[in-house]
Amino acid sequence: MSVDIRENLFPSDFAWGAATAAYQVEGGWKAHGKGPSIWDTFCHGKGRVFEDQNGDVACNSYELWEEDLRCVNYYNKVINDLLACNITPMVTLYHFDLPQALQDRGGWKWAGIAEVFDGYAAFCFRTFGDRVKLWLTLNEPYVCAKLGHEDGLFAPGVRDPGVSLYLAGHNMLRAHARAWHSYSALFRPEQKGLISLALNSDWAEPQDPSSPQDAAATERYMAFTFGWFASPVFMTGDYPATMRSRIEARSAGQGFPAARLPEFEEGEPRVLGTADFFALNHYTSRRVRAVSPSQTLGFKGDQEAEAEMDPSWPVCGTPWLAVVPYGLRKLLNYIKDACGNPAIYITENGFAQTGPVDLNDSQRSGFYRDTLLEVCKAIHEDGVDVRGYFAWSLLDNFEWADGFSVRFGLFHVDFTHPELTRTMYLSGREYAKIIMGNGFQSTAQS
Ligand code: PNW
């Protein structure tokens, strides 16, 4: 079936959205009795974030959502305001900012965190679940594990190659599974919502398409990034076989008493099937090549693959983000095949701007258009069940270790102005037109 870009291109009930995250926009870091989170601690240290910036105030959404909002009712008010504006909230329970008090007990490396998370999730279901029907437990466990516990580039800033990331990832899966089971057993019968977790994934292709070594390295790369969390939840209930066998063999060779990749234990809540839809955060693509085996302890040695940019791909504001719209279509097909054709929400996708502010961000507008055309092809030509697309992000915000130097917003935020003035970018207007037309009918020339 060919796609006519002058027609409505998306299903009539397609969900359009824009995403944010608490630490990145709210500020209010000590407001109304809030204790510090690991990102507060991380940013208040030196040399970790661009120009030692922090999210103490960020976009100050905590106050600017409406001046008279106060702590207890903040999220209730946000949810009610969204519903009043005919916007359906999809709520993420954990987006990188763990309470520091839990980090002090070991954070995601502490097995007990699964019960604590489950209790917190149940509180949220009980408090907000009458109105919130779409839930995500965790945002990007891969990024939290790898950047937070292997590279130390994100909070909690742990640099412990090859060990901590697997433990943190494992406890995140245990926590997620418990929350899904609690929702299913205790809340779903009445609240009738859906719950999943947001997994980030690049699309990967072999550096040399004719090289079997590069093809195998590409498979390993997908197994170690996508499969690490998708396989336990959507495919087999365990980590990918290649992760298990490689890490087991290497751990033994490195003198560890047990494999560095934990086991899912008998008697623990089942992880397989604990997602009611697939939530995908996608930003970029990579070319992957095989590297020589190395005994160096770490995720990279376990994976034995090197991911690189294709020089022909344009790079937007931040160096890791090559713009490859077709990669999203390929990845959607990959998920369809690997995970049994799940309903998919694209819960984050976006384009970064750095340097001088350009409100006339035609490149970003073009990025959204090109990318959404690929999503359309995936829906209509490939039969992928894509249910929604949420742009990252609604507002320019605190971009983690890049501070305020990298801007992803549909709205510019003037962080030098005391009122943190919001101004819509051209891309915000163009995205609104796409949403209004449920496709490209009002913007397409061809
Ligand atoms: C996601 N990387 O994180 C997060 O969910 C958002 O909070 C964030 O603002 C957005 O992407 C843009 O970066 C990522 O280094 C952070 O590959 C870093 C990477 C990928 C995703």
Side-chain angles (χ1 to χ4, degrees), residues 118-119 121-122 125 176-189:
D118 188 24
F125 302 147
H176 159 79
R178 275 170 170 71
W180 185 91
H181 284 289
S182 291
Y183 188 76
S184 274
L186 305 175
F187 298 95
R188 196 202 300 278

Side-chain angles (χ1 to χ4, degrees), residues 41-54 159:
T41 311
F42 188 76
C43 295
H44 293 161
K46 292 278 166 222
R48 290 162 162 173
V49 173
F50 177 80
E51 291 182 352
D52 287 339
Q53 294 171 343
N54 60 58
R159 265 173 229 243

Side-chain angles (χ1 to χ4, degrees), residues 58-59 396-398 404 407 412-418 420-421:
C59 309
D396 285 348
N397 59 42
F398 177 76
F404 297 98
R407 299 182 299 272
H412 175 256
V413 177
D414 183 352
F415 292 103
T416 65
H417 193 281
L420 298 166
T421 317

Side-chain angles (χ1 to χ4, degrees), residues 24 95 139-140 147 154 283 320 348 392 399-400 408:
Q24 292 179 274
H95 194 126
N139 179 67
E140 300 186 351
L147 278 72
F154 275 24
Y283 284 91
W320 58 269
E348 283 187 21
W392 183 270
E399 179 48 34
W400 308 118
F408 274 95

